[in-house]
C-alpha cells in the first residue's frame, strides 16, 4: 500500500441489538489475509461488544487492532475520541488495510461520515460504505413505529403533545445514511414479513440502496468491503431528522450497569430478565453472568423480550468473576425496581 492510497473505512450502524457485533465477528472470521482494524463504540460504561470481539483470536485482527471507545457516542465525540484513535492506527508499522467502525446502537451515522470531510482525515481515509444492520423481526413487530390508532387518540385528547418517536428517528437516520442495508434475523421472519419490511425500507429511503437478507450476520466479506461509496462526498443524498440541529444528545435514553452476584442456573435467570424486559419496556440487555459451579462465563443478550444465552469462553485465571449487565431503555427506566427484582 502506498502512502498516496486512502485507507477505506466501513461504518457499521444499526439500532441496539440489530446484530452488528455478530456481523463483524463473521467478517473477521472470513476476511482471509486482509489486515483489518476495528473501532468499537458503545452506549454505556461496559464494553460488551469489544470484549466479545477481543476473544476471537483471529490473526488478521489481533487484540491491539481493536480500539474501544466507551462511555460516549461517536456521533458526539468525533474530535475528542475518534480522530486520535484513527491517527494511532494509521501510525502503526503494520497499518490496517481496511478499518471497520461499529457505532453505538443509538448513534447517528451522518455526523461521523461528515468527520471524514475534515482535511486531515480526507487526505488519508475514505468511507468505503455505510452498512445499516436492522433487526428485521423487531421491525416487523412494529418496534420502531407508533400504533396509528393509539397515536390518533392521543392527538385528539391533547393536540399539544409532542409525538416524536426517538426509536423511529434513530432507526430511520441509520437507514437514510446507508449504502447497503442488511435485513438481519430473517430466520425469525416468515417470507411475507420479509417482503413487508423490505417494502417499508424502500419507501423510507429516497434513493436506490440494496437490501440484503441475512441470518446471524452471515454474508460474504467481499459484499461488505469494497462498496467504493466515498460517502463523505455524498452527504446531501443522506438526509437526517437532525440536519437542522447544532448537536445531538441522548436525553431520550437511560443506560446503566448492574453488578450482581453469581446465578444458580441460566434458564430461570434469563426467564426473569425476559419478564422484566416486558414489565419495564427494556429495549436492550446484554452482559456476562457467573453461574455457580461452572468454569465458563455466560453471555446474555436481549432485544426486548427476545433473549439469547450461551457460554462463550472459560473464565481467565485471575479474572474477576461476577454478573454484570447493561440495561438500556427510554428515559424514566426504573433502575431501583429492576435491580431489586434481580437481587
Amino acid at each position: 500500500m502506498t502512502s498516496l492510497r486512502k485507507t477505506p473505512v466501513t461504518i457499521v450502524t444499526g439500532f441496539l441489538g440489530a446484530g452488528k457485533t455478530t456481523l463483524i465477528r463473521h467478517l473477521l472470521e472470513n476476511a482471509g489475509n486482509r489486515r483489518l482494524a476495528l473501532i468499537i463504540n458503545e452506549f454505556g460504561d461496559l464494553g460488551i461488544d469489544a470484549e466479545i470481539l477481543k476473544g476471537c483470536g483471529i490473526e488478521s485482527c489481533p487484540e491491539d487492532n481493536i480500539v474501544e471507545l466507551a462511555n460516549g457516542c461517536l456521533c458526539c465525540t468525533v474530535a475528542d475520541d475518534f480522530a486520535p484513535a484513527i491517527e494511532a492506527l494509521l501510525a502503526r508499522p503494520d497499518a490496517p488495510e481496511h478499518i471497520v467502525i461499529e457505532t453505538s446502537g443509538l448513534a447517528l451515522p451522518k455526523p461521523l461520515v461528515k468527520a471524514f470531510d475534515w482535511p486531515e482525515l480526507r487526505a488519508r481515509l475514505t468511507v468505503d460504505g455505510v452498512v445499516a444492520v436492522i433487526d428485521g423481526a423487531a421491525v416487523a413487530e412494529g418496534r420502531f413505529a407508533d400504533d396509528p390508532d393509539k397515536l390518533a387518540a392521543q392527538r385528539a385528547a391533547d393536540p399539544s403533545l409532542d409525538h416524536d418517536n426517538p426509536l423511529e428517528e434513530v432507526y430511520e437516520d441509520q437507514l437514510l445514511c446507508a449504502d447497503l442495508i442488511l435485513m438481519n434475523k430473517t430466520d425469525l421472519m416468515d417470507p411475507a414479513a420479509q417482503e413487508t419490511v423490505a417494502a417499508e425500507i424502500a419507501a423510507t429511503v429516497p434513493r436506490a440502496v440494496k437490501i440484503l437478507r441475512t441470518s446471524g450476520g452471515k454474508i460474504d466479506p467481499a459484499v461488505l468491503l469494497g462498496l467504493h461509496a466515498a460517502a463523505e462526498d455524498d452527504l446531501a443524498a443522506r438526509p437526517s431528522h437532525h440536519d437542522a440541529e447544532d448537536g445531538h444528545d441522548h436525553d431520550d435514553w437511560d443506560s446503566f450497569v448492574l453488578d450482581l452476584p453469581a446465578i444458580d442456573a441460566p434458564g430461570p435467570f434469563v426467564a426473569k430478565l425476559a419478564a422484566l424486559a416486558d414489565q419495564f419496556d427494556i429495549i436492550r440487555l446484554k452482559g456476562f453472568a457467573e453461574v455457580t459451579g461452572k468454569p465458563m462465563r455466560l453471555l446474555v443478550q436481549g432485544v426486548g423480550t427476545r433473549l439469547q444465552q450461551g457460554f462463550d469462553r472459560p473464565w481467565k485465571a485471575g479474572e474477576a468473576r461476577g454478573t454484570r449487565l447493561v440495561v438500556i431503555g427510554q428515559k424514566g427506566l426504573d433502575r431501583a425496581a429492576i435491580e431489586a427484582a434481580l437481587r
Side-chain angles (χ1 to χ4, degrees), residues 116-160:
F116 288 87
D117 200 31
W118 297 358
E120 59 268 35
L121 294 183
R122 172 179 278 277
R124 306 180 68 186
L125 302 165
T126 182
V127 181
D128 182 68
V130 178
V131 178
V133 186
I134 72 162
D135 180 338
V139 177
E141 292 163 2
R143 185 66 170 171
F144 300 99
D146 289 308
D147 182 327
D149 294 333
K150 181 179 179 181
L151 194 56
Q154 289 175 333
R155 285 192 176 123
D158 186 354
S160 68

Side-chain angles (χ1 to χ4, degrees), residues 24-105:
I24 290 173
R25 179 157 190 163
H26 178 76
L27 168 64
L28 295 180
E29 291 172 342
N30 295 276
N33 296 321
R34 188 182 302 216
R35 195 164 60 251
L36 301 177
L38 302 180
I39 296 178
I40 300 170
N41 187 223
E42 295 200 62
F43 183 74
D45 298 324
L46 185 59
I48 300 297
D49 296 345
E51 172 62 23
I52 293 171
L53 292 169
K54 285 181 178 179
C56 289
I58 298 169
E59 291 184 6
S60 63
C61 188
E63 283 196 22
D64 60 358
N65 272 24
I66 300 177
V67 178
E68 180 184 4
L69 302 179
N71 196 25
C73 175
L74 272 181
C75 64
C76 308
T77 60
V78 169
D80 294 337
D81 296 333
F82 171 64
I86 286 285
E87 290 293 336
L89 285 172
L90 295 180
R92 293 182 179 181
D94 55 345
E97 298 169 322
H98 201 116
I99 298 172
V100 178
I101 300 173
E102 179 188 349
T103 71
S104 147

Side-chain angles (χ1 to χ4, degrees), residues 278-296:
D278 182 49
Q279 180 182 351
F280 294 97
D281 197 23
I282 296 171
I283 294 172
R284 183 76 165 120
L285 278 166
K286 58 181 178 178
F288 303 105
E290 178 187 5
V291 182
T292 302
K294 298 292 185 182
M296 301 184 74

Side-chain angles (χ1 to χ4, degrees), residues 3-330:
S3 60
L4 297 178
R5 180 179 179 269
K6 292 186 179 183
T7 301
V9 177
T10 295
I11 297 172
V12 179
T13 187
F15 200 75
L16 300 163
K20 299 183 295 296
T21 303
T22 303
L23 170 74
I24 290 173
R25 179 157 190 163
H26 178 76
L27 168 64
L28 295 180
E29 291 172 342
N30 295 276
N33 296 321
R34 188 182 302 216
R35 195 164 60 251
L36 301 177
L38 302 180
I39 296 178
I40 300 170
N41 187 223
E42 295 200 62
F43 183 74
D45 298 324
L46 185 59
I48 300 297
D49 296 345
E51 172 62 23
I52 293 171
L53 292 169
K54 285 181 178 179
C56 289
I58 298 169
E59 291 184 6
S60 63
C61 188
E63 283 196 22
D64 60 358
N65 272 24
I66 300 177
V67 178
E68 180 184 4
L69 302 179
N71 196 25
C73 175
L74 272 181
C75 64
C76 308
T77 60
V78 169
D80 294 337
D81 296 333
F82 171 64
I86 286 285
E87 290 293 336
L89 285 172
L90 295 180
R92 293 182 179 181
D94 55 345
E97 298 169 322
H98 201 116
I99 298 172
V100 178
I101 300 173
E102 179 188 349
T103 71
S104 147
L106 297 177
L108 308 180
K110 187 171 181 178
L112 181 56
V113 176
K114 283 183 178 179
F116 288 87
D117 200 31
W118 297 358
E120 59 268 35
L121 294 183
R122 172 179 278 277
R124 306 180 68 186
L125 302 165
T126 182
V127 181
D128 182 68
V130 178
V131 178
V133 186
I134 72 162
D135 180 338
V139 177
E141 292 163 2
R143 185 66 170 171
F144 300 99
D146 289 308
D147 182 327
D149 294 333
K150 181 179 179 181
L151 194 56
Q154 289 175 333
R155 285 192 176 123
D158 186 354
S160 68
L161 287 177
D162 181 359
H163 292 288
D164 289 343
N165 182 337
L167 278 78
E168 187 175 32
E169 285 192 0
V170 173
Y171 165 71
E172 288 185 355
D173 266 28
Q174 292 169 346
L175 290 180
L176 292 168
C177 196
D179 299 293
L180 174 66
I181 296 171
L182 301 183
M183 186 198 303
N184 198 31
K185 305 188 183 183
T186 53
D187 54 313
L188 303 177
M189 307 168 68
D190 61 36
Q194 293 181 35
E195 293 301 325
T196 298
V197 171
E200 290 175 355
I201 293 171
T204 300
V205 181
R207 59 196 178 99
V209 177
K210 182 174 287 187
I211 304 169
L212 300 180
R213 306 177 192 194
T214 59
S215 175
K218 294 179 180 177
I219 188 169
D220 188 340
V223 176
L224 298 180
L225 309 181
L227 295 176
H228 305 294
E232 68 274 16
D233 295 330
D234 190 32
L235 288 167
R238 302 164 194 268
S240 165
H241 288 286
H242 302 268
D243 277 338
E245 298 178 3
D246 292 333
H248 164 63
D249 57 47
H250 296 292
D251 290 344
D252 293 318
W253 316 100
D254 276 340
S255 170
F256 51 84
V257 177
L258 297 180
D259 287 288
L260 304 165
I263 65 173
D264 293 328
F269 179 67
V270 171
K272 182 178 286 188
L273 291 178
L276 290 173
D278 182 49
Q279 180 182 351
F280 294 97
D281 197 23
I282 296 171
I283 294 172
R284 183 76 165 120
L285 278 166
K286 58 181 178 178
F288 303 105
E290 178 187 5
V291 182
T292 302
K294 298 292 185 182
M296 301 184 74
R297 70 179 186 182
L298 184 75
L299 171 63
V300 178
Q301 300 211 60
V303 178
T305 59
R306 191 183 342 122
L307 279 92
Q308 296 178 313
Q309 50 95 2
F311 293 100
D312 73 323
R313 67 161 174 81
W315 292 101
K316 298 176 182 177
E319 181 179 12
R321 300 190 182 192
T323 300
R324 302 198 79 197
L325 292 176
V326 177
V327 183
I328 304 174
Q330 292 195 61

